[in-house]
Amino acid sequence: MASFNLALINPQLNSKITPHRVVPIRFARAVENFSDDTAPDLDDHGFTIPAQFCTAHGPVVGLMGPAAGQSTGPVVRIKVIRDRLSNTAQLFPTVDDASVAKIEFPVNAALNPADAPNRPGDCVFLQAATTSESETKLKIHHGSAGGPVMAECAVRAYPRLVINVQVHLVSINGVAPTTSFATAQQLFKDVGKVYAQAGVAFELAGSAMNEAVTGYARDGTVTLSNVADEENTELQTVLRQNPVAGSLNAYIFGHYFDSSATTNQLDNVLGIAFSSDNASGHPAHGTFPGCQAGITLRDSDDPIKAAHTAAHEIGHSLRLVHYANVDNPGRPDIWAHRCLMFPVVTLNARAPSSDARIDVGYGTFANGRTSAGQLLMTKPRAGVQQSDEINVLRAAQIANTFAPI
């Protein structure tokens, strides 16, 4: 990293000077609004990264590894922000180990702050160059490729993991969902944009399976009651309709009705999911059919909110808990609001929140409400339980926790 020596003209003023860290440049997500698989999120919890994550002084970004038959992964871009540096300053990106990740643009040249066709200004374009899980550092040098390092970012290449998905469209008491298979296909394309930062891709079966259940309390609706969702007969009966082995089974129906709330609420719930861990802990008993792994979603008139919800619920099927393992929106910090596993989908001003903590760069929904983010964290941090989410979910994918038992 670049270092600067500061000399005080009047040493007697020492006690009156407050030290500050000067950050001339930093790294950022290259887009705003919903996730983009070509512009991944960056985990910037803390300044340093633990030794197993490259020991970079800065954020960490995840790259998806090459698909079968390819030598490099998809090209992504990271934005370089000049906070304290002129646009005329020459900034040169380098990567420590090109066998892990390579710079696709600019190659052996300085960053250009001006936008060009398909090349937004001050962006470094990267791609993974390995099929093994590895890490390296992206560095920004001043003046030349061998000049002083002004900023650095850890880059983790993740082998591509695939989750097969079977969509089920569920009629309840003869009332079918309004969601079509084409809508579900687009929904999972958007979900893939969220998980690309973790090296995870989704492949849908070629058609939806049409399911039908009867005898429910409300037409087209799963009713939630005072029992735990793992023990809810209506919900678990849906999840047991022809689940496909080895796949993530996604069940879509019209509505949830929460009869357990103080005031009965229709469609306050967006989605509910279970991992095989949940399912194994709640076997069949009496008339209860047993808990099953998979995700359930209701109809939605907002495709962005639906995709965010599906991505969040898939996280639960992959052993992810709510941010810091808190099930209510009690933590108002910016990282909580940016995290995919924040327990609510929309952000509201709550003391001691501020506007800056609410507008965290992921846009708004169709109703104008501010969206929580889709960050999947990488850095394990003391005090933030399960802050190594990508490592947790990748291990869960390998263990097939998303698949039916």
Side-chain angles (χ1 to χ4, degrees), residues 160-168 188 200-206 244-250 314 317 397 400 402-404:
R160 188 173 185 266
L161 298 178
V162 175
I163 294 178
N164 294 315
V165 180
Q166 176 62 61
V167 172
H168 303 255
F188 275 93
V200 175
F202 297 86
E203 294 186 1
L204 264 66
V244 175
S247 293
L248 171 71
N249 289 270
I314 290 169
S317 78
Q397 190 279 343
N400 277 357
F402 58 87

Side-chain angles (χ1 to χ4, degrees), residues 161 318-319 389-401:
L161 298 178
L318 294 171
R319 291 177 173 160
E389 290 175 321
I390 289 181
N391 304 298
V392 172
L393 74 87
R394 286 182 62 86
Q397 190 279 343
I398 293 170
N400 277 357
T401 66

Side-chain angles (χ1 to χ4, degrees), residues 96 125 139 166 216 228 290 299 301 306 319 349 362 376:
D96 281 355
F125 291 75
K139 295 177 178 177
Q166 176 62 61
Y216 278 39
D299 282 334
D301 57 3
R319 291 177 173 160
Y362 297 84
L376 289 166

Side-chain angles (χ1 to χ4, degrees), residues 327-340:
D327 288 336
N328 61 70
R331 292 188 60 129
D333 55 273
I334 290 173
W335 293 284
H337 287 173
R338 287 175 54 204
C339 186
L340 174 66

Side-chain angles (χ1 to χ4, degrees), residues 3 10 22 38 69-70 94 123 157 259 278 280 310:
S3 61
N10 187 349
V22 177
T38 69
Q70 302 294 316
T94 66
C123 282
S259 66
N278 301 127
S280 297

Side-chain angles (χ1 to χ4, degrees), residues 120-168:
D122 275 347
C123 282
V124 182
F125 291 75
L126 296 166
Q127 54 191 155
T130 179
T131 56
S132 63
E133 186 167 338
S134 309
E135 66 278 326
T136 186
K137 290 181 186 177
L138 166 66
K139 295 177 178 177
I140 305 298
H141 303 258
H142 182 266
S144 69
V149 177
M150 302 293 290
E152 61 185 25
C153 173
V155 178
R156 285 187 70 78
Y158 291 108
R160 188 173 185 266
L161 298 178
V162 175
I163 294 178
N164 294 315
V165 180
Q166 176 62 61
V167 172
H168 303 255

Side-chain angles (χ1 to χ4, degrees), residues 168-179 213 216-225 229 232 234-236 238-239 251-259 264-272 295-302 309:
H168 303 255
L169 302 178
V170 185
S171 296
I172 299 177
N173 293 355
V175 178
T178 60
T179 299
V213 295
Y216 278 39
R218 296 170 175 82
D219 295 345
T221 303
V222 167
T223 299
L224 307 174
S225 59
D229 292 336
N232 183 293
E234 286 195 358
L235 185 62
Q236 298 303 332
V238 165
L239 283 158
Y251 295 84
I252 303 174
F253 45 80
H255 308 278
Y256 297 97
F257 185 85
D258 189 358
S259 66
N264 291 346
Q265 293 181 315
L266 179 68
D267 288 348
N268 185 53
V269 174
L270 300 169
I272 300 174
I295 70 170
T296 63
L297 304 166
R298 66 165 173 84
D299 282 334
S300 174
D301 57 3
D302 186 338
T309 299

